[in-house]
């Protein structure tokens, strides 16, 4: 069983994907981390994330970079959104994601184009959304818990800018797959969002005939 969880930054898709992986005993891949690693590598290289050549060169990042806590920063998130607009970067990371999705036994992947590009045959496809205000508040609390002093208004503006880039890029724009079910977590706490996601996955499994 492949479960695709897509949606914008801080919508709750990562938390939901991890919980679904634990619930169903499946491996999980945060595909956004790959793009954050590319963006981080561009910065390390002293390159320009808006330059397709610099971004593609950074796709050869070492696996150890995925453990760098800096990848979870707002700066790396912004860089990830910028490098992800380049078709060559998306193609370079496609095979890695595809291999993970199609491994024996299934997998859970979260990102922005899992249900539309990486695993269009997924058994269950969720598109997780939340208002910009709700997402900014969550990210602000997360940053404060990590000792990062970032203004709420700055986070909200950054999220809105990322949404704009992700929805309007030419390669794999952020949008729900035609057969995805949208889950709005704006007013849901963590446990309620996870419970709702599990219920929706079960619904989609039944519709697909995959209940074992």
């Amino acid at each position: 069983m492949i479960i695709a969880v897509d949606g914008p930054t801080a919508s709750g898709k990562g938390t939901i994907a991890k919980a679904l992986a634990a619930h169903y005993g499946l491996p999980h891949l945060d595909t956004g981390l790959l793009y954050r690693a590319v963006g981080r590598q561009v910065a390390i290289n002293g390159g320009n994330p808006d330059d397709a050549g610099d971004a593609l060169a950074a796709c050869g990042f070492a696996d150890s970079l995925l453990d760098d806590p800096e990848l979870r920063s707002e700066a790396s998130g912004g860089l990830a959104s910028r490098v992800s607009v380049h078709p060559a970067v998306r193609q370079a990371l496609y095979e890695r994601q595809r291999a993970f999705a199609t491994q024996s036994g299934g997998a859970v992947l979260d990102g922005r184009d899992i249900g539309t590009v990486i695993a269009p045959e997924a058994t269950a496809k969720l598109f997780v959304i939340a208002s910009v205000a709700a997402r900014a508040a969550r990210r602000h609390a997360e940053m404060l818990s990590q000792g990062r002093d970032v203004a709420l208004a700055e986070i909200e503006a950054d999220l809105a800018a990322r949404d704009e880039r992700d929805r309007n890029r030419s390669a794999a724009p952020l949008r729900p797959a035609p057969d995805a079910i949208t889950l709005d977590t704006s007013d849901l706490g963590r446990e309620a969002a996870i419970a709702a996601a599990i219920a929706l996955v079960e619904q989609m499994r039944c519709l697909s005939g995959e209940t074992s």
Side-chain angles (χ1 to χ4, degrees):
M1 175 173 67
I2 302 174
I3 301 176
V5 184
D6 291 306
T9 299
S11 59
K13 67 179 185 294
T15 296
I16 286 171
K18 288 176 187 175
L20 288 173
H23 181 79
Y24 291 106
L26 296 171
H28 165 247
L29 176 64
D30 172 1
T31 64
L33 204 60
L34 302 179
Y35 289 95
R36 284 172 176 258
V38 173
R40 174 68 175 150
Q41 189 64 55
V42 169
I44 292 172
N45 293 347
N48 177 4
D50 300 317
D51 181 88
D54 287 354
L56 181 59
C59 289
F61 64 84
D63 286 345
S64 59
L65 185 60
L66 294 173
D67 297 321
D68 185 347
E70 180 60 27
L71 296 189
R72 299 294 182 181
S73 71
E74 285 300 291
S76 290
L79 289 170
S81 180
R82 291 165 69 184
V83 299
S84 68
V85 305
H86 304 301
V89 170
R90 306 198 72 83
Q91 184 58 41
L93 297 180
Y94 170 82
E95 293 300 336
R96 188 170 185 168
Q97 298 172 74
R98 182 66 185 163
F100 190 92
T102 58
Q103 64 183 290
S104 177
V108 179
L109 295 87
D110 71 84
R112 287 171 175 74
D113 63 351
I114 308 304
T116 54
V117 176
I118 304 302
E121 78 279 25
T123 303
K125 300 177 187 177
L126 293 178
F127 193 76
V128 184
I129 64 171
S131 67
V132 172
R135 290 156 51 206
R138 292 171 188 168
R139 184 51 58 88
H140 186 242
E142 180 184 344
M143 292 295 102
L144 289 179
S145 71
Q146 296 172 356
R148 300 173 186 267
D149 187 15
V150 183
L152 178 61
E154 181 181 334
I155 294 175
E156 190 163 339
D158 181 61
L159 289 176
R162 281 195 227 175
D163 288 350
E164 185 68 16
R165 280 196 300 270
D166 293 341
R167 289 182 184 130
N168 294 294
R169 66 191 180 208
S170 60
L174 172 65
R175 65 167 183 261
D179 53 346
I181 295 181
T182 297
L183 172 59
D184 189 338
T185 67
S186 298
D187 300 316
L188 297 179
R190 181 180 183 280
E191 296 308 317
I194 291 171
I198 291 173
L200 290 175
V201 169
E202 285 301 306
Q203 177 183 325
M204 286 181 273
R205 291 182 75 198
C206 289
L207 289 174
S208 70
E210 185 178 323
T211 56
S212 58

